[in-house]
């Protein structure tokens, strides 16, 4: 509660005290889930502040730059949203992020029902989800694509191959405020950052609305993004039913997404295959994303069992082992890309554990969920509310006093 209070700007809770001074999309949704346990009214305000950044075509952006004089780069000038016709008054980024908001609204509503709040926000969330199914579909599978790593766990090795195709020219090293408070070894490299910026530059030329995904330099069918969307669509349909409506689009979308995700199961790997749209075939990428359909209740009982035993909790992959007792690692320990300190390339994250715990609970794997919940609480007890953690030592990494780690702990304690 103290971390959330400290990071509260009055309008929104920033992700961390120094590194991230603006409102990020999925951070705020996780924060609202935590606030549902202690201050529902403040949780509703968090959602309202984020939705102020919505674009006319429905997109809810990944960052809302509420006016504030803070030193952060690359900041609003990189995006130039003011010159995009669909953008709102407040400056925002031109991308989106995993749509956790519907799930946050449901959590707030279950904690304290408020039909007025639902009437206010459901049409906005509905329009955002519909935008995803309009702008980001690529075939009949029901799955959607992201067009920039910043739309998901950006530095994850699953994006490396796709990102390597992005020519970043000979531009000088980008200005990065993240590197002042944080160790270089815990953050993305300058070369990857240059590619992120080159991608933004090319998207900016079409006001962030490419004619087709085939034309984009990066298009990835991220399983985590799709699993979050599938669960969010089901939650949205439930919320509509609270208002006496059928929520037909949302419930059909949830079914379609789950079917699409189920089709990506790989029997040999006991995990799900990721898909880079510009590559020939799907792949087992060795990152925790390949377990995420679990969060959306996609696996059948026998698959869920194998996914847990042979991947999630397996000592050589994502689970606890004598040399690295803290789980779940964000990259498989057997992968050559495993880097236990670098952001999204190995460390343990509280939001990832939370998604997996929810998935295990929903599939009835209660003991397994409880083991992971217990480990996650022991980790924050030992090392505080950090952005991420070293899987061998449990040492805190990245920013201290990280909002979603604190907020999701409140939710885990509530079970
Ligand atoms: C990280 O992303 C930002 C860019 O959006 C960054 O690297 O500076 C990611 O972990 C992202 O998932 C998260 O929402 C954001 C704020 O916590 O930080």
């Amino acid at each position: 509660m103290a971390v959330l209070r400290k990071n509260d700007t009055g309008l929104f809770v920033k992700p961390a005290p120094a590194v991230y001074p603006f409102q990020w999309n999925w951070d705020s949704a996780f924060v609202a889930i935590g606030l549902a346990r202690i201050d529902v009214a403040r949780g509703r305000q968090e959602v309202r502040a984020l939705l102020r950044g919505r674009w006319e075509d429905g997109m809810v952006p990944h960052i809302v730059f509420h006016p504030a004089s803070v030193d952060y780069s690359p900041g609003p000038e990189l995006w130039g949203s003011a010159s995009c016709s669909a953008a709102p008054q407040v400056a925002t980024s031109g991308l989106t992020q995993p749509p956790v908001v519907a799930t946050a609204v449901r959590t707030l509503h279950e904690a304290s029902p408020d039909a007025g709040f639902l009437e206010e926000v459901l049409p906005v969330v509905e329009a955002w989800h519909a935008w995803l199914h309009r702008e980001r579909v690529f075939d009949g599978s029901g799955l959607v694509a992201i067009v920039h790593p910043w739309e998901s766990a950006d530095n994850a090795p699953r994006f490396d191959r796709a990102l390597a195709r992005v020519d970043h020219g000979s531009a000088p090293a980008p200005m990065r405020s993240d590197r002042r408070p944080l160790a270089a070894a815990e953050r993305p490299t300058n070369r990857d950052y240059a590619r992120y910026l080159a991608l933004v530059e090319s998207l900016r030329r079409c006001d962030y609305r490419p004619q087709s995904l085939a034309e984009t330099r990066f298009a990835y069918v991220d399983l985590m993004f799709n699993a979050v969307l599938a669960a969010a669509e089901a939650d949205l349909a439930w919320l509509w039913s609270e208002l006496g409506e059928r929520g037909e689009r949302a419930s059909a979308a949830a079914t379609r997404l789950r079917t699409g995700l189920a089709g990506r199961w790989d029997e040999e790997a006991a995990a799900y295959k990721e898909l880079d749209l510009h590559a020939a075939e799907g792949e087992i990428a060795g990152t925790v994303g390949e377990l995420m359909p679990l969060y959306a209740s996609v696996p059948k009982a026998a698959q869920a069992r194998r996914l847990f035993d042979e991947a999630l909790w397996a000592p050589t992959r994502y689970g606890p082992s004598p040399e690295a007792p803290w789980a779940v690692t964000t990259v498989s320990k057997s992968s050559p890309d495993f880097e236990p300190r670098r952001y999204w390339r190995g460390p343990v994250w509280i939001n990832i554990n939370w998604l997996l715990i929810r998935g295990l609970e929903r599939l009835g794997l209660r003991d397994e969920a409880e083991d992971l919940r217990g480990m996650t609480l022991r980790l924050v007890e030992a090392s505080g509310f950090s952005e991420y953690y070293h899987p061998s030592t449990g040492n805190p990494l990245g920013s201290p006093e990280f909002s979603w780690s604190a907020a999701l702990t409140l939710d885990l304690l509530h079970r």
Side-chain angles (χ1 to χ4, degrees):
M1 288 165 68
V3 168
L4 296 182
R5 221 176 288 127
K6 177 169 178 181
N7 291 338
D8 193 342
T9 63
L11 177 60
F12 64 96
V13 176
K14 54 190 176 178
V19 195
Y20 308 111
F22 295 106
Q23 188 170 26
W24 264 260
N25 189 322
W26 70 331
D27 296 67
S28 270
F30 289 132
V31 161
I33 288 170
L35 287 169
R37 305 302 171 213
I38 54 168
D39 186 347
V40 178
R42 181 63 191 78
R44 291 191 199 108
Q45 185 190 322
E46 190 66 23
V47 172
R48 285 192 184 102
L50 177 72
L51 298 184
R52 273 197 213 173
R54 68 180 176 273
W55 287 38
E56 246 170 51
D57 58 3
M59 184 188 78
V60 179
H62 107 283
I63 310 175
V64 184
F65 297 102
H66 294 293
S69 61
V70 284
D71 180 14
Y72 176 82
S73 56
E77 71 292 339
L78 169 73
W79 301 95
S81 63
S83 62
C84 301
S85 57
Q89 287 262 307
V90 60
T92 78
S93 77
L95 304 168
T96 192
Q97 253 188 338
V100 183
V101 171
T103 303
V105 173
R106 177 173 181 165
T107 312
L108 291 164
H109 191 75
E110 284 176 332
S112 172
D114 179 346
F117 179 63
L118 296 193
E119 276 158 14
E120 181 189 334
V121 301
L122 292 198
V124 182
V125 179
E126 175 77 25
W128 177 24
H129 290 189
W131 174 85
L132 284 167
H133 294 289
R134 207 168 55 239
E135 292 282 326
R136 300 298 186 81
V137 287
F138 54 94
D139 67 2
S141 70
L143 302 177
V144 301
I146 59 171
V147 298
H148 194 295
W150 277 340
E151 297 198 308
S152 182
D154 47 51
N155 202 31
R158 62 179 176 274
F159 304 130
D160 285 358
R161 250 196 317 161
L163 204 56
R165 284 188 223 112
V166 177
D167 177 14
H168 56 86
S170 53
M175 285 295 295
R176 297 175 55 177
S177 56
D178 66 316
R179 289 281 284 271
R180 284 198 296 268
L182 300 175
E186 293 171 22
R187 294 291 297 172
T189 61
N190 262 342
R191 196 187 49 197
D192 284 341
Y193 238 80
R195 290 189 168 121
Y196 296 157
L197 299 185
L199 271 179
V200 170
E201 199 44 54
S202 69
L203 288 163
R204 187 177 162 162
R205 273 184 241 124
C206 59
D207 286 4
Y208 306 99
R209 297 296 178 266
Q211 286 286 312
S212 86
L213 290 172
E215 274 173 31
T216 57
R217 296 168 78 186
F218 177 99
Y220 200 91
V221 188
D222 191 55
L223 294 175
M224 180 168 77
F225 191 107
N226 279 281
V228 164
L229 179 59
E233 292 286 25
D235 289 335
L236 181 57
W238 181 89
L239 287 162
W240 280 123
S241 75
E242 286 293 284
L243 289 181
E245 312 250 355
R246 305 245 320 259
E248 274 166 343
R249 190 213 51 81
S251 99
T255 307
R256 252 194 345 265
L257 281 156
R258 284 182 176 138
T259 310
L261 287 167
R264 307 218 54 81
W265 174 255
D266 185 285
E267 190 62 26
E268 202 183 317
Y272 292 82
K273 275 194 294 202
E274 300 276 3
L275 180 62
D276 168 0
L277 265 192
H278 297 325
E281 284 175 12
E283 59 164 358
I284 290 293
T287 79
V288 73
E290 69 197 30
L291 311 183
M292 279 301 165
L294 174 72
Y295 171 66
S297 306
V298 171
K300 298 194 189 90
Q303 292 171 336
R305 184 77 263 152
R306 290 197 54 212
L307 187 144
F308 185 83
D309 292 342
E310 295 173 39
L312 198 161
W313 212 243
T316 54
R317 288 174 81 182
Y318 303 93
S321 57
E323 19 357 296
W326 300 99
V328 173
T329 58
T330 37
V331 170
S332 165
K333 287 181 247 181
S334 308
S335 162
D337 298 319
F338 177 63
E339 288 186 72
R341 280 187 70 192
R342 202 182 295 278
Y343 146 102
W344 292 120
R345 299 182 82 87
V348 176
W349 288 71
I350 303 303
N351 67 329
I352 296 295
N353 281 12
W354 183 88
L355 292 168
L356 295 170
I357 293 164
R358 285 282 285 242
L360 291 167
E361 283 171 351
R362 282 200 277 243
L363 285 177
L365 294 168
R366 300 241 141 232
D367 292 346
E368 291 78 356
E370 198 42 39
D371 284 346
L372 184 53
R373 189 181 82 98
M375 176 179 286
T376 308
L377 291 174
R378 283 197 303 282
L379 184 57
V380 294
E381 198 172 14
S383 299
F385 302 104
S386 205
E387 188 177 2
Y388 39 100
Y389 304 83
H390 197 296
S392 303
T393 59
N395 283 345
L397 297 170
S399 173
E401 299 181 297
F402 197 68
S403 292
W404 83 36
S405 302
L408 295 176
T409 297
L410 288 171
D411 186 66
L412 291 178
L413 286 170
H414 178 83
R415 305 294 160 97

